[in-house]
Amino acid sequence: MDRRTLMRGGLATALLAPGLARATEPALIAIRTDPAQVFRTTVCLRPFRAAGPRIEAETVGRKQVIHNYGHGGSGWSLSWGSADVAVGLAMQSSPRKVAVIGAGALGLTAAITAQRAGAEVTIYAKERFPFVRSARATGIWSPDSRVAQTATMPADFPVQWERMARTSAAMHESFVGSAGNPVEWMDYYTLRDPEPEPAITEPAIPEPFDPGFAYLNDRLRGLMPAYGSVAPETTPFAATQVRRGANLTFNIADYGRQLEADFLLAGGRFEHAEFHAPSDLSKLKEKVIINCTGYGARALWKDESIVPIRGQIVWLAPQEGVHYGCYRDGIGVLARRDGIVVQDFGPDEAFGWNDANETVDPLSAQATLEKLKAVYRA
Ligand SMILES: Cc1cc2nc3c(=O)[nH]c(=O)nc-3n(C[C@H](O)[C@H](O)[C@H](O)COP(=O)(O)OP(=O)(O)OC[C@H]3O[C@@H](n4cnc5c(N)ncnc54)[C@H](O)[C@@H]3O)c2cc1C
């Protein structure tokens, strides 16, 4: 999720709701933050394109390639809607067989969508779950997180984005209640204190670098449950303003497996393959190819419009009774079933911008846990 949305008190779609007092507030348990709870730390790159995801057809030799990559911090969220657009382009020539390159969130959803459109599908990929970058995402509905740049996106992008987001939401919701909980609703809390009055002598704070990300969630007003105020004293949080909403959470360990299983059950095949240049695609037997290579498209297609935006996640073992998400001052937590993901979103939106370093930073991981501790009352 992006900082701006979170600071506004949850999804913009739900901003104007009155207080959401429940007859009985759930007894929230503070997350144990000691380092002994950590079972791994991961790094991932958001494949950001200023113009938005590339979803278009290109002829490469005798092949028709449909690109479907560059979804920034919104890849899981927009996956099904993006697949709908890409597969629509792929099926224009009514191919019997379709190849999909890539087995991340975008590749699997495109492959399943192509099967439902009547194609026999083979996925060619260098990595599969759990080794794809999609496996290292936060796992929350965040359809406009670092998805495009206001100044650069095409004029019709917001309309296409809205269609993709609405299609995706409906598909994600269709998994709620399935065995293994690939997708579920989870309470999400946004926490803040009143802004302190600025001291007259305070030095001016430099404006943070703002890549000019497009924020489009206002177009989805009413799609997600509303956020509203909660009495802070009924919570363990060290904040004077607490708002609670609900958000779709992706338990990615299970979601990835379920998508792979659905694909295989419908007769899909995986083949291990690595492509080094577009000309390598001539080796495939399929004439129509959907290219879902994510950040990998930067090297494969020499697409330098892809900017990596780095994010690091500290994973705590699941804790009994802890089943919510919260955000405060740049720290976001989501207590998923496959691990509690803790992420430092940094001082401003540009955190991780153009940083392709996928090595874990242990010092920053330690600092993330310290910051999480401060989210709770002592
Ligand atoms: C820290 C972090 C948190 C995030 N949290 C969220 C979130 O909560 N919600 C959300 O919606 N999005 C989130 N995102 C964004 C999301 O993770 C990405 O947009 C999404 O994973 C991109 O998926 P993909 O399938 O395009 O790429 P990938 O998952 O990278 O998959 C690419 C596939 O292509 C294959 N491939 C690549 N190059 C080649 C090649 N040359 N030859 C053969 N195969 C190749 C790979 O092996 C892989 O199978 C987050 C991103 C980060 C970094």
Side-chain angles (χ1 to χ4, degrees), residues 67-84:
H67 297 292
N68 185 28
Y69 67 79
H71 297 73
S74 310
W76 272 103
S77 304
L78 293 177
S79 54
W80 289 108
S82 191
D84 224 37

mmCIF file with all atom_site columns, all heavy atoms in Angstrom, residues 67-84:
data_model
loop_
_atom_site.group_PDB
_atom_site.id
_atom_site.type_symbol
_atom_site.label_atom_id
_atom_site.label_alt_id
_atom_site.label_comp_id
_atom_site.label_asym_id
_atom_site.label_entity_id
_atom_site.label_seq_id
_atom_site.pdbx_PDB_ins_code
_atom_site.Cartn_x
_atom_site.Cartn_y
_atom_site.Cartn_z
_atom_site.occupancy
_atom_site.B_iso_or_equiv
_atom_site.pdbx_formal_charge
_atom_site.auth_seq_id
_atom_site.auth_comp_id
_atom_site.auth_asym_id
_atom_site.auth_atom_id
_atom_site.pdbx_PDB_model_num
ATOM 1   N N   . HIS A 1 67 ? 2.434   -7.955  -24.421 1.00 0.00 ? 67 HIS A N   1
ATOM 2   C CA  . HIS A 1 67 ? 3.147   -7.602  -23.197 1.00 0.00 ? 67 HIS A CA  1
ATOM 3   C C   . HIS A 1 67 ? 2.162   -7.399  -22.046 1.00 0.00 ? 67 HIS A C   1
ATOM 4   O O   . HIS A 1 67 ? 1.077   -6.851  -22.237 1.00 0.00 ? 67 HIS A O   1
ATOM 5   C CB  . HIS A 1 67 ? 3.963   -6.326  -23.402 1.00 0.00 ? 67 HIS A CB  1
ATOM 6   C CG  . HIS A 1 67 ? 5.036   -6.485  -24.440 1.00 0.00 ? 67 HIS A CG  1
ATOM 7   N ND1 . HIS A 1 67 ? 6.127   -7.301  -24.226 1.00 0.00 ? 67 HIS A ND1 1
ATOM 8   C CD2 . HIS A 1 67 ? 5.181   -5.967  -25.680 1.00 0.00 ? 67 HIS A CD2 1
ATOM 9   C CE1 . HIS A 1 67 ? 6.907   -7.259  -25.319 1.00 0.00 ? 67 HIS A CE1 1
ATOM 10  N NE2 . HIS A 1 67 ? 6.344   -6.455  -26.216 1.00 0.00 ? 67 HIS A NE2 1
ATOM 11  N N   . ASN A 1 68 ? 2.594   -7.825  -20.871 1.00 0.00 ? 68 ASN A N   1
ATOM 12  C CA  . ASN A 1 68 ? 1.744   -7.684  -19.670 1.00 0.00 ? 68 ASN A CA  1
ATOM 13  C C   . ASN A 1 68 ? 2.690   -7.565  -18.469 1.00 0.00 ? 68 ASN A C   1
ATOM 14  O O   . ASN A 1 68 ? 2.794   -8.460  -17.654 1.00 0.00 ? 68 ASN A O   1
ATOM 15  C CB  . ASN A 1 68 ? 0.820   -8.915  -19.545 1.00 0.00 ? 68 ASN A CB  1
ATOM 16  C CG  . ASN A 1 68 ? -0.176  -8.796  -18.394 1.00 0.00 ? 68 ASN A CG  1
ATOM 17  O OD1 . ASN A 1 68 ? -0.570  -7.700  -18.001 1.00 0.00 ? 68 ASN A OD1 1
ATOM 18  N ND2 . ASN A 1 68 ? -0.578  -9.930  -17.835 1.00 0.00 ? 68 ASN A ND2 1
ATOM 19  N N   . TYR A 1 69 ? 3.411   -6.452  -18.406 1.00 0.00 ? 69 TYR A N   1
ATOM 20  C CA  . TYR A 1 69 ? 4.399   -6.287  -17.330 1.00 0.00 ? 69 TYR A CA  1
ATOM 21  C C   . TYR A 1 69 ? 4.501   -4.819  -16.898 1.00 0.00 ? 69 TYR A C   1
ATOM 22  O O   . TYR A 1 69 ? 4.018   -3.927  -17.597 1.00 0.00 ? 69 TYR A O   1
ATOM 23  C CB  . TYR A 1 69 ? 5.778   -6.798  -17.770 1.00 0.00 ? 69 TYR A CB  1
ATOM 24  C CG  . TYR A 1 69 ? 6.441   -5.989  -18.875 1.00 0.00 ? 69 TYR A CG  1
ATOM 25  C CD1 . TYR A 1 69 ? 7.097   -4.777  -18.611 1.00 0.00 ? 69 TYR A CD1 1
ATOM 26  C CD2 . TYR A 1 69 ? 6.428   -6.448  -20.191 1.00 0.00 ? 69 TYR A CD2 1
ATOM 27  C CE1 . TYR A 1 69 ? 7.717   -4.059  -19.625 1.00 0.00 ? 69 TYR A CE1 1
ATOM 28  C CE2 . TYR A 1 69 ? 7.032   -5.727  -21.207 1.00 0.00 ? 69 TYR A CE2 1
ATOM 29  C CZ  . TYR A 1 69 ? 7.680   -4.527  -20.918 1.00 0.00 ? 69 TYR A CZ  1
ATOM 30  O OH  . TYR A 1 69 ? 8.290   -3.813  -21.921 1.00 0.00 ? 69 TYR A OH  1
ATOM 31  N N   . GLY A 1 70 ? 5.156   -4.628  -15.751 1.00 0.00 ? 70 GLY A N   1
ATOM 32  C CA  . GLY A 1 70 ? 5.419   -3.256  -15.289 1.00 0.00 ? 70 GLY A CA  1
ATOM 33  C C   . GLY A 1 70 ? 4.325   -2.718  -14.393 1.00 0.00 ? 70 GLY A C   1
ATOM 34  O O   . GLY A 1 70 ? 3.900   -1.574  -14.534 1.00 0.00 ? 70 GLY A O   1
ATOM 35  N N   . HIS A 1 71 ? 3.869   -3.539  -13.422 1.00 0.00 ? 71 HIS A N   1
ATOM 36  C CA  . HIS A 1 71 ? 2.730   -3.159  -12.584 1.00 0.00 ? 71 HIS A CA  1
ATOM 37  C C   . HIS A 1 71 ? 3.133   -2.531  -11.257 1.00 0.00 ? 71 HIS A C   1
ATOM 38  O O   . HIS A 1 71 ? 2.305   -2.406  -10.347 1.00 0.00 ? 71 HIS A O   1
ATOM 39  C CB  . HIS A 1 71 ? 1.830   -4.374  -12.340 1.00 0.00 ? 71 HIS A CB  1
ATOM 40  C CG  . HIS A 1 71 ? 1.206   -4.920  -13.589 1.00 0.00 ? 71 HIS A CG  1
ATOM 41  N ND1 . HIS A 1 71 ? 1.927   -5.637  -14.532 1.00 0.00 ? 71 HIS A ND1 1
ATOM 42  C CD2 . HIS A 1 71 ? -0.053  -4.821  -14.084 1.00 0.00 ? 71 HIS A CD2 1
ATOM 43  C CE1 . HIS A 1 71 ? 1.132   -5.977  -15.534 1.00 0.00 ? 71 HIS A CE1 1
ATOM 44  N NE2 . HIS A 1 71 ? -0.061  -5.486  -15.296 1.00 0.00 ? 71 HIS A NE2 1
ATOM 45  N N   . GLY A 1 72 ? 4.396   -2.143  -11.116 1.00 0.00 ? 72 GLY A N   1
ATOM 46  C CA  . GLY A 1 72 ? 4.831   -1.426  -9.907  1.00 0.00 ? 72 GLY A CA  1
ATOM 47  C C   . GLY A 1 72 ? 4.462   -2.150  -8.627  1.00 0.00 ? 72 GLY A C   1
ATOM 48  O O   . GLY A 1 72 ? 4.714   -3.349  -8.475  1.00 0.00 ? 72 GLY A O   1
ATOM 49  N N   . GLY A 1 73 ? 3.849   -1.414  -7.691  1.00 0.00 ? 73 GLY A N   1
ATOM 50  C CA  . GLY A 1 73 ? 3.460   -1.999  -6.391  1.00 0.00 ? 73 GLY A CA  1
ATOM 51  C C   . GLY A 1 73 ? 2.024   -2.490  -6.408  1.00 0.00 ? 73 GLY A C   1
ATOM 52  O O   . GLY A 1 73 ? 1.403   -2.630  -5.348  1.00 0.00 ? 73 GLY A O   1
ATOM 53  N N   . SER A 1 74 ? 1.488   -2.748  -7.603  1.00 0.00 ? 74 SER A N   1
ATOM 54  C CA  . SER A 1 74 ? 0.063   -3.102  -7.735  1.00 0.00 ? 74 SER A CA  1
ATOM 55  C C   . SER A 1 74 ? -0.147  -4.422  -8.471  1.00 0.00 ? 74 SER A C   1
ATOM 56  O O   . SER A 1 74 ? -1.281  -4.728  -8.863  1.00 0.00 ? 74 SER A O   1
ATOM 57  C CB  . SER A 1 74 ? -0.664  -2.019  -8.544  1.00 0.00 ? 74 SER A CB  1
ATOM 58  O OG  . SER A 1 74 ? -0.378  -0.750  -8.049  1.00 0.00 ? 74 SER A OG  1
ATOM 59  N N   . GLY A 1 75 ? 0.924   -5.178  -8.658  1.00 0.00 ? 75 GLY A N   1
ATOM 60  C CA  . GLY A 1 75 ? 0.832   -6.343  -9.540  1.00 0.00 ? 75 GLY A CA  1
ATOM 61  C C   . GLY A 1 75 ? -0.175  -7.386  -9.093  1.00 0.00 ? 75 GLY A C   1
ATOM 62  O O   . GLY A 1 75 ? -0.965  -7.890  -9.897  1.00 0.00 ? 75 GLY A O   1
ATOM 63  N N   . TRP A 1 76 ? -0.151  -7.726  -7.812  1.00 0.00 ? 76 TRP A N   1
ATOM 64  C CA  . TRP A 1 76 ? -1.126  -8.699  -7.334  1.00 0.00 ? 76 TRP A CA  1
ATOM 65  C C   . TRP A 1 76 ? -2.523  -8.112  -7.471  1.00 0.00 ? 76 TRP A C   1
ATOM 66  O O   . TRP A 1 76 ? -3.449  -8.765  -7.960  1.00 0.00 ? 76 TRP A O   1
ATOM 67  C CB  . TRP A 1 76 ? -0.867  -9.054  -5.859  1.00 0.00 ? 76 TRP A CB  1
ATOM 68  C CG  . TRP A 1 76 ? 0.105   -10.179 -5.698  1.00 0.00 ? 76 TRP A CG  1
ATOM 69  C CD1 . TRP A 1 76 ? 1.416   -10.082 -5.347  1.00 0.00 ? 76 TRP A CD1 1
ATOM 70  C CD2 . TRP A 1 76 ? -0.162  -11.578 -5.891  1.00 0.00 ? 76 TRP A CD2 1
ATOM 71  N NE1 . TRP A 1 76 ? 1.979   -11.330 -5.307  1.00 0.00 ? 76 TRP A NE1 1
ATOM 72  C CE2 . TRP A 1 76 ? 1.037   -12.268 -5.631  1.00 0.00 ? 76 TRP A CE2 1
ATOM 73  C CE3 . TRP A 1 76 ? -1.289  -12.305 -6.257  1.00 0.00 ? 76 TRP A CE3 1
ATOM 74  C CZ2 . TRP A 1 76 ? 1.131   -13.658 -5.725  1.00 0.00 ? 76 TRP A CZ2 1
ATOM 75  C CZ3 . TRP A 1 76 ? -1.194  -13.688 -6.350  1.00 0.00 ? 76 TRP A CZ3 1
ATOM 76  C CH2 . TRP A 1 76 ? 0.011   -14.353 -6.085  1.00 0.00 ? 76 TRP A CH2 1
ATOM 77  N N   . SER A 1 77 ? -2.658  -6.879  -7.026  1.00 0.00 ? 77 SER A N   1
ATOM 78  C CA  . SER A 1 77 ? -3.993  -6.278  -6.976  1.00 0.00 ? 77 SER A CA  1
ATOM 79  C C   . SER A 1 77 ? -4.635  -6.223  -8.353  1.00 0.00 ? 77 SER A C   1
ATOM 80  O O   . SER A 1 77 ? -5.812  -6.520  -8.516  1.00 0.00 ? 77 SER A O   1
ATOM 81  C CB  . SER A 1 77 ? -3.893  -4.867  -6.387  1.00 0.00 ? 77 SER A CB  1
ATOM 82  O OG  . SER A 1 77 ? -3.270  -4.924  -5.129  1.00 0.00 ? 77 SER A OG  1
ATOM 83  N N   . LEU A 1 78 ? -3.861  -5.824  -9.363  1.00 0.00 ? 78 LEU A N   1
ATOM 84  C CA  . LEU A 1 78 ? -4.428  -5.614  -10.699 1.00 0.00 ? 78 LEU A CA  1
ATOM 85  C C   . LEU A 1 78 ? -4.363  -6.851  -11.592 1.00 0.00 ? 78 LEU A C   1
ATOM 86  O O   . LEU A 1 78 ? -4.802  -6.804  -12.743 1.00 0.00 ? 78 LEU A O   1
ATOM 87  C CB  . LEU A 1 78 ? -3.676  -4.471  -11.393 1.00 0.00 ? 78 LEU A CB  1
ATOM 88  C CG  . LEU A 1 78 ? -3.852  -3.071  -10.797 1.00 0.00 ? 78 LEU A CG  1
ATOM 89  C CD1 . LEU A 1 78 ? -2.982  -2.069  -11.554 1.00 0.00 ? 78 LEU A CD1 1
ATOM 90  C CD2 . LEU A 1 78 ? -5.314  -2.625  -10.850 1.00 0.00 ? 78 LEU A CD2 1
ATOM 91  N N   . SER A 1 79 ? -3.805  -7.958  -11.053 1.00 0.00 ? 79 SER A N   1
ATOM 92  C CA  . SER A 1 79 ? -3.447  -9.087  -11.918 1.00 0.00 ? 79 SER A CA  1
ATOM 93  C C   . SER A 1 79 ? -4.591  -9.584  -12.808 1.00 0.00 ? 79 SER A C   1
ATOM 94  O O   . SER A 1 79 ? -4.424  -9.719  -14.028 1.00 0.00 ? 79 SER A O   1
ATOM 95  C CB  . SER A 1 79 ? -2.907  -10.239 -11.059 1.00 0.00 ? 79 SER A CB  1
ATOM 96  O OG  . SER A 1 79 ? -3.850  -10.571 -10.047 1.00 0.00 ? 79 SER A OG  1
ATOM 97  N N   . TRP A 1 80 ? -5.746  -9.849  -12.216 1.00 0.00 ? 80 TRP A N   1
ATOM 98  C CA  . TRP A 1 80 ? -6.836  -10.456 -13.002 1.00 0.00 ? 80 TRP A CA  1
ATOM 99  C C   . TRP A 1 80 ? -7.362  -9.494  -14.066 1.00 0.00 ? 80 TRP A C   1
ATOM 100 O O   . TRP A 1 80 ? -7.677  -9.895  -15.191 1.00 0.00 ? 80 TRP A O   1
ATOM 101 C CB  . TRP A 1 80 ? -7.987  -10.879 -12.087 1.00 0.00 ? 80 TRP A CB  1
ATOM 102 C CG  . TRP A 1 80 ? -7.659  -12.061 -11.217 1.00 0.00 ? 80 TRP A CG  1
ATOM 103 C CD1 . TRP A 1 80 ? -7.428  -12.056 -9.872  1.00 0.00 ? 80 TRP A CD1 1
ATOM 104 C CD2 . TRP A 1 80 ? -7.547  -13.434 -11.623 1.00 0.00 ? 80 TRP A CD2 1
ATOM 105 N NE1 . TRP A 1 80 ? -7.174  -13.321 -9.424  1.00 0.00 ? 80 TRP A NE1 1
ATOM 106 C CE2 . TRP A 1 80 ? -7.249  -14.198 -10.477 1.00 0.00 ? 80 TRP A CE2 1
ATOM 107 C CE3 . TRP A 1 80 ? -7.671  -14.093 -12.848 1.00 0.00 ? 80 TRP A CE3 1
ATOM 108 C CZ2 . TRP A 1 80 ? -7.071  -15.579 -10.517 1.00 0.00 ? 80 TRP A CZ2 1
ATOM 109 C CZ3 . TRP A 1 80 ? -7.499  -15.469 -12.885 1.00 0.00 ? 80 TRP A CZ3 1
ATOM 110 C CH2 . TRP A 1 80 ? -7.201  -16.203 -11.728 1.00 0.00 ? 80 TRP A CH2 1
ATOM 111 N N   . GLY A 1 81 ? -7.458  -8.227  -13.720 1.00 0.00 ? 81 GLY A N   1
ATOM 112 C CA  . GLY A 1 81 ? -7.971  -7.252  -14.682 1.00 0.00 ? 81 GLY A CA  1
ATOM 113 C C   . GLY A 1 81 ? -6.986  -7.043  -15.819 1.00 0.00 ? 81 GLY A C   1
ATOM 114 O O   . GLY A 1 81 ? -7.363  -6.875  -16.985 1.00 0.00 ? 81 GLY A O   1
ATOM 115 N N   . SER A 1 82 ? -5.694  -7.061  -15.466 1.00 0.00 ? 82 SER A N   1
ATOM 116 C CA  . SER A 1 82 ? -4.656  -6.906  -16.468 1.00 0.00 ? 82 SER A CA  1
ATOM 117 C C   . SER A 1 82 ? -4.665  -8.121  -17.399 1.00 0.00 ? 82 SER A C   1
ATOM 118 O O   . SER A 1 82 ? -4.522  -7.997  -18.624 1.00 0.00 ? 82 SER A O   1
ATOM 119 C CB  . SER A 1 82 ? -3.304  -6.780  -15.746 1.00 0.00 ? 82 SER A CB  1
ATOM 120 O OG  . SER A 1 82 ? -2.325  -6.391  -16.628 1.00 0.00 ? 82 SER A OG  1
ATOM 121 N N   . ALA A 1 83 ? -4.870  -9.303  -16.802 1.00 0.00 ? 83 ALA A N   1
ATOM 122 C CA  . ALA A 1 83 ? -4.946  -10.536 -17.596 1.00 0.00 ? 83 ALA A CA  1
ATOM 123 C C   . ALA A 1 83 ? -6.100  -10.451 -18.593 1.00 0.00 ? 83 ALA A C   1
ATOM 124 O O   . ALA A 1 83 ? -5.968  -10.866 -19.752 1.00 0.00 ? 83 ALA A O   1
ATOM 125 C CB  . ALA A 1 83 ? -5.148  -11.741 -16.672 1.00 0.00 ? 83 ALA A CB  1
ATOM 126 N N   . ASP A 1 84 ? -7.189  -9.891  -18.136 1.00 0.00 ? 84 ASP A N   1
ATOM 127 C CA  . ASP A 1 84 ? -8.361  -9.759  -19.006 1.00 0.00 ? 84 ASP A CA  1
ATOM 128 C C   . ASP A 1 84 ? -8.033  -8.952  -20.267 1.00 0.00 ? 84 ASP A C   1
ATOM 129 O O   . ASP A 1 84 ? -8.403  -9.342  -21.376 1.00 0.00 ? 84 ASP A O   1
ATOM 130 C CB  . ASP A 1 84 ? -9.436  -9.007  -18.206 1.00 0.00 ? 84 ASP A CB  1
ATOM 131 C CG  . ASP A 1 84 ? -10.781 -9.629  -18.364 1.00 0.00 ? 84 ASP A CG  1
ATOM 132 O OD1 . ASP A 1 84 ? -10.855 -10.861 -18.434 1.00 0.00 ? 84 ASP A OD1 1
ATOM 133 O OD2 . ASP A 1 84 ? -11.762 -8.859  -18.436 1.00 0.00 ? 84 ASP A OD2 1
#
